[in-house]
Amino acid sequence: MSLIPYIDHEHPVTGVTNAKFGIWLFLASEVMLFGALFSTYIILRTGATVWPHGYEVLNIPMGTLNTAILITSSVTIVLAWAALKMRQLPKFKLYMGLTCLLSLIFLVIKYFEYAAKFHHGYYPATNTYFAIYFVITGLHGLHIIGGIVVNAYLLGPGSKMYATEPERFTGRVECAGLYWHFVDLVWIFVFPILYLL
Amino acid sequence: MSSHDSPEEIKKAVKLYIGIFVALLFLTLVTVGVSYIHLSVGKAVALALFVASIKASLVALFFMHLKDERKIIYATIGLTGVLFVFLMSISMYL
Amino acid sequence: MSASHGHAASHDEQIKHTLEHWAHEPFWKKYIFSIDHKVIGLQYAICSMVFLLIGFGMMLLMRWQLAYPNQPLPLIGGILGESLFPGGVMSPDTYNQLGAMHGTIMIFLGVVPLSVGGFGNYLLPIQVGAHDMAFPKLNMASFWVFFIGGMIMMFSFLAPGGAAASGWTSYPPLSVTAQNAQSYWLVGMVFLITSSLLGSVNTIVTAIQLRVRGLSFMRWPVLVWAQVITAFLLLLAFPPLEAAGVLQLMDRLAGTSFFMPSGLVVSGEVLQVSGGGNPILWQHLFWFLAHPEVYVLILPAVGIVGEIIATNTRKPLYGYRTLVYSMLFLGFTSFIVWAHHMFMTGMGTTLSSFFQATTMIISIPSVIVLTTYLLTLWGASIRYTVPMLFALAFLPMFAIGGLTGLPLGLTASDIHLHDTYYVIGHFHYVVAPGTLFALMAGVYHWYPKVTGRMFNETLGKIHFWGSIVSINFIFMPMLLMGMMGVSRRLYDQTVYAHGAAGQSYNLVMSWGAWALAIFQIPFIWNLIVSLKKGKVVTEENPWGGTTLEWATPTPPPHTNFLHEVEVFRDPYQYSPNRNLLPQFVKE
Amino acid sequence: MNPTPYPLGKLPLDISTHGAGIDQLIVYIHIFMAILFVGWGIYFLYCLFAFRERAGHTPQLEEKHFSLPKYVEVGVVLVEVVLLVFFSSPVWGSYKNDFPDRNEALVIRVVSEQFAWNMHYPGKDGKFGKTSPQLMDGTNPVGLDRESENGRDDIVTINNLFVPINRPVIIDLTSKDVIHSFFLPVARVKQDAVPGMEIPIHFQVTQTGEYEIACAQLCGVGHYRMRGQFIVKTPEEYATWMTEQEVELANELGDAPPAETAPAAEATPAAAPAAESNSEEEGK
Ligand code: HEA
Ligand code: HEA
Ligand code: CUA
Ligand SMILES: [Cu+2]
């Protein structure tokens, strides 16, 4: 119907669909966004007179659990995509559902972590360590929320597209997956620098 | 990617994903475990970033299919990588 | 094309079908929340021109205070209210608000949306032979996000304490301690940045993926190249500022100290913040964006000028490939010169040597770009249309602006010139008689294509000659005043002896600015009245252009093209017998 | 009277020892810019005239190659390299690095605030007393602790920077609130004053007179009137002024008036040379 080509099949020269190229460009900009925050982290840390060790003020078991959860959700979403590739819609729904569930659990744990910080009187204004901690994890959390919205859409109303344009739908899931892996990837760096070092 | 479309290929890929998953969990435990030893700052940073980079590479190469992606995606990432280095260099100036 | 409609033959059918469908869409879907890139392009263009006018208006008020310090503004001073203009005289705080917002509006709400949002949106898909942008809905979203950002900026004037007043650069700690709408400014910026990010993803994907058959990269019109490079700059340079904006917002709202060092004493009180932050960090993050940003301001202009020069010299562009490589190099290098804005912050010699060197290096591709345009003129048959006049004027004006960048890029001379009017003169030469003239050239050049009417030639020439003369009376004295060492952002420079010595220049500049304003009247009049009264243009190619936009019906329908198009050759080819060899004509 | 130090449209008078290098660079680079602009400008105007569209004139369509512009471009590169390496870098290098001996030079702390310049002289002992943000208020703008070891004799002035000619001056520049920029147009000195950092700069001036300190960085509503006096005196006049200040301070604090000659008893060895050089000048 559409006059816009390469929505559901790859461009012969570039070898990618529009959406996939688009999502990679978007991720490129995200790299620069988090890069600026990591740069800030280094500067604040090297310039600080006191810098608490993450393990003194943060809850490492909770952080580890969250890391594991996020990694698991990354696997489930890639499995969801693989299921679609094999044209198994129920399996897709199962894995996508799991992904959403895991990401919600991540947020719940994050909520308890934040609550514990506030309870101990640690706020962003406490020192530069907590300032950057709250900003990076907060922004990361917003990315998680964004991902949940997209994934839930693809799981629910969005999946109607599977009936008419399965290729295009699979492509969408792949893009959502790429984004989700990226969010996971950011966490893989955030976890050691904030919690462990 | 058309070359990976066949169900057998996908099945193989799924096995691989599970393997990567296990590796990622393992590496997570490694970093966390090491953090309890309280190494000197330099060593701790080097080790933590090293492990994190391996994990990130695994995610990028396999989950994000970067292992066999198109030139145009590599180009995008390459450019971003270089500019990312410029951006991180800010932290050396202050 | 798309898999379900395998054959090319059915393509024309599909166009017909789409057009019929579009004809039955309700008004709001066609013209307000539209997904048509041309409508979105025009929305961008109109909004940004209004913003340009507003930004200019603010400066006209400021120019009164500069020329006649502390004298009540005639007629309007009283109307503008006691809080901003006590006794009809602009207050210093109002001056700072207007100054900061002039810079912000001109750059982020005026020039960028016009050149990227307006020209980019309208022309780029057509020039690559596409029927629309790759992601039409995203395109619509990026306009409306821009619009919201713009409104937040405008309404910040009504906030308690007035609009942001810390300069467009918003250096902390000043911007953090300021009791005004700086937070609105930051939120507004986050919207504008988000809009730019969405837009640039769209631009890049459209240009690369939706190229029509035969259009290899090296056959892209220069404007497409310029837009794509610009899009990459926006995509990769803006996010650090977005991050920095969030950090500054946290400093203001959550009491963090990202940019606040310990031990600050503001008006005799020790500031209650945790401290430990670094104000210079903001400058690095800001200029990491803002230097690439200045090339965002110039590159689309360079592209527009290229198109117009190629069309009106009736010969191929000289050194197309060199031009493209220069622009690529320019884009890339623009990421490693940012600290030349910060030489006076206490930077050591190693770092400043690096940034001096890169700054000198980046001037070379600009020289090459200008040189290719100048060499195109050799042996041409120059047709002095109104757009061509503006495009030609761009060359020496950009040259003055660019050349005056050199003394600023050398640390030793920057000691004296940094943060004086010399800097103001430098960049206004590049953005006002440079970029702005190029944009005006573009407006005239594509006016008949977009509206189907020709503008009035005489009014256009009055606009041109009036503007080129008066604008030099504004910006040339700035360079001289900068030599005298007069600082920028001064509400009243006569406080200083060296400022008072240069005050006569302010009279020249202000009268120049007001004259410039008067000469915009024929422009605005022309644009509006010609919509109804202009000579009707029915031919597809009124100027004899060679790129794909001249293959569309005038004005272009929703699908841009009525038939499938194909590209057969490089842009800007002319053959001796036909005088014209458009890209889209098979021969 | 002397001609104005601020001729219209020109660089202001230069009274510094390092400024000539800066001015020379500015002049040379503008000559270079003018040559490029006029050269290309003549070519440009010629083209506009010679290649205008007219009956019987046809454009030349064959690909032409010009080699002259290449040489021009290479020339531009060379000139830029020369200016950078031989004119800018040496001046900048000595401006940033070649500091005079702190014991020889006159060291002054300058603490900027919205919207004033506070000058902190070390006084007789040549050493600064302790300062702290907590002590800063209207009467004690630099937060000097008079009870601290070297603080009792420190001189603080507001908006008036007195320096003698022909003696190196080091200024340790900082700010207590926002970023300002310390600009001495006639001495070709400019440096941002950044809170949380103390940045040293140095210069030497050769001509007496009353000049200005300008603030070059937007710092709030009063930025435009953040003007200081830059008062350059002969060494004798400077010494007299300094003695006046010392007497005034002693009266204020209820101390015994300072003795005619230094050094003060408690001066540590490190401060002695500075104190000596002070007295040397007084002797002249
Ligand atoms: C479109 C915008 C634009 C462009 C293109 C440029 C281009 C350049 N700029 Fe500019 N600049 C700004 C916008 C721009 N700038 C702005 C907005 C600021 C101030 C920000 C603020 O502080 O608020 C600024 C500030 C600024 C500074 C900081 C000054 C200071 O604060 O102390 C410096 C320092 O290096 C600098 C350098 C340069 C250089 C070397 C170029 C080079 O790229 C220029 C290269 C071009 C040439 C060398 C011209 C070649 C000419 C010819 C070949 C002759 C042809 C002749 C004829 C046609 C007759 N610029
Ligand atoms: C793109 C950027 C841009 C542009 C185009 C301009 C254009 C102009 N600027 Fe501005 N300016 C800045 C960016 C820009 N400026 C910035 C960043 C600063 C620094 C701010 C700071 O200190 O933080 C600054 C500062 C600045 C100052 C210094 C203030 C100070 O330091 O105290 C002055 C002083 O005269 C000035 C003047 C002007 C003038 C007279 C124009 C004129 O050239 C304006 C010409 C405008 C037009 C001719 C309007 C054209 C549009 C139309 C006619 C639209 C038609 C409309 C419809 C059809 C609806 N500007
Ligand atoms: Cu202090 Cu401007
Ligand atoms: Cu720059």
Side-chain angles (χ1 to χ4, degrees), chain C residues 174 487-490 496, chain D residues 112-117 177-182 214-220 222-227:
Chain C
L174 178 63
S487 300
R488 58 191 285 198
R489 295 163 166 170
L490 293 179
Y496 290 98
Chain D
S112 56
E113 72 174 71
Q114 290 172 321
F115 302 97
W117 302 99
D177 40 37
V178 303
I179 302 178
H180 304 266
S181 192
F182 179 80
C215 181
Q217 183 63 266
L218 179 63
C219 51
H223 165 58
Y224 73 98
R225 55 180 167 78
M226 191 165 157
R227 171 177 180 272

Side-chain angles (χ1 to χ4, degrees), chain C residues 46 49-50 52-53 56 59 62-63 66 95 99-100 102-104 106-107 111 167-169 297 421 424 427-428 431-432 436 440 471 474-475 478 488-490 509 513 516 520 523-524 527:
Chain C
I46 292 168
M49 277 157 94
V50 171
L52 276 178
L53 221 49
F56 189 20
M59 188 42 73
M62 292 168 71
R63 291 277 7 148
L66 290 171
Y95 182 88
H102 163 78
T104 308
M106 286 309 214
I107 290 183
V111 170
W168 80 290
T169 48
L297 297 175
Y421 263 90
I424 304 281
F427 75 76
H428 278 92
V431 296
L436 220 47
M440 287 170 180
I471 211 161
I474 313 177
F475 298 124
M478 285 191 182
R488 58 191 285 198
R489 295 163 166 170
L490 293 179
M509 289 186 233
L516 179 65
Q520 302 315 303
F523 179 45
I524 297 170
L527 293 191

Side-chain angles (χ1 to χ4, degrees), chain C residues 500-515:
Chain C
Q503 177 62 13
S504 51
Y505 281 149
N506 266 331
L507 290 170
V508 179
M509 289 186 233
S510 291
W511 283 101
W514 299 326

Side-chain angles (χ1 to χ4, degrees), chain C residues 59-70:
Chain C
M59 188 42 73
L60 294 176
L61 300 180
M62 292 168 71
R63 291 277 7 148
W64 174 267
Q65 164 65 25
L66 290 171
Y68 304 104
N70 305 322

Side-chain angles (χ1 to χ4, degrees), chain C residues 272-325:
Chain C
Q272 293 307 321
V273 294
S274 71
N278 191 328
I280 304 293
L281 170 61
W282 165 269
Q283 299 189 18
H284 277 296
L285 293 174
F286 180 85
W287 290 115
F288 190 88
L289 153 87
H291 188 86
E293 175 77 14
V294 308
Y295 291 92
V296 168
L297 297 175
I298 202 73
L299 279 174
V302 166
I304 289 171
V305 168
E307 299 291 327
I308 295 171
I309 287 192
T311 309
N312 290 296
T313 49
R314 321 304 301 147
K315 68 187 279 282
L317 265 189
Y318 179 87
Y320 168 86
R321 274 168 185 267
T322 322
L323 181 63
V324 168
Y325 293 136

Side-chain angles (χ1 to χ4, degrees), chain D residues 37-117:
Chain D
F37 186 75
V38 172
W40 274 119
I42 292 170
Y43 162 87
F44 180 63
L45 291 176
Y46 173 77
C47 286
L48 294 189
F49 175 75
F51 303 114
R52 67 191 189 280
E53 184 179 56
R54 57 191 185 273
H57 176 75
T58 51
Q60 305 163 7
L61 293 179
E62 64 282 7
E63 274 277 338
K64 252 223 170 116
H65 258 287
F66 301 95
S67 39
L68 183 64
K70 267 222 180 78
Y71 298 125
V72 174
E73 279 153 20
V74 174
V76 171
V77 175
L78 288 180
V79 174
E80 284 182 1
V81 169
V82 168
L83 288 173
L84 173 65
V85 175
F86 297 104
F87 290 87
S88 179
S89 289
V91 177
W92 177 249
S94 79
Y95 178 76
K96 292 301 284 187
N97 294 337
D98 297 348
F99 274 85
D101 187 349
R102 279 197 174 248
N103 295 324
E104 302 289 326
L106 169 62
V107 182
I108 308 168
R109 289 182 72 235
V110 172
V111 183
S112 56
E113 72 174 71
Q114 290 172 321
F115 302 97
W117 302 99

Side-chain angles (χ1 to χ4, degrees), chain C residues 168 294-295 340-341 366 402 405 408-409 414 418 426-427 488, chain D residues 40:
Chain C
W168 80 290
V294 308
Y295 291 92
H340 66 204
H341 297 269
S366 310
L408 298 173
D414 195 42
H418 172 68
H426 152 66
F427 75 76
R488 58 191 285 198
Chain D
W40 274 119

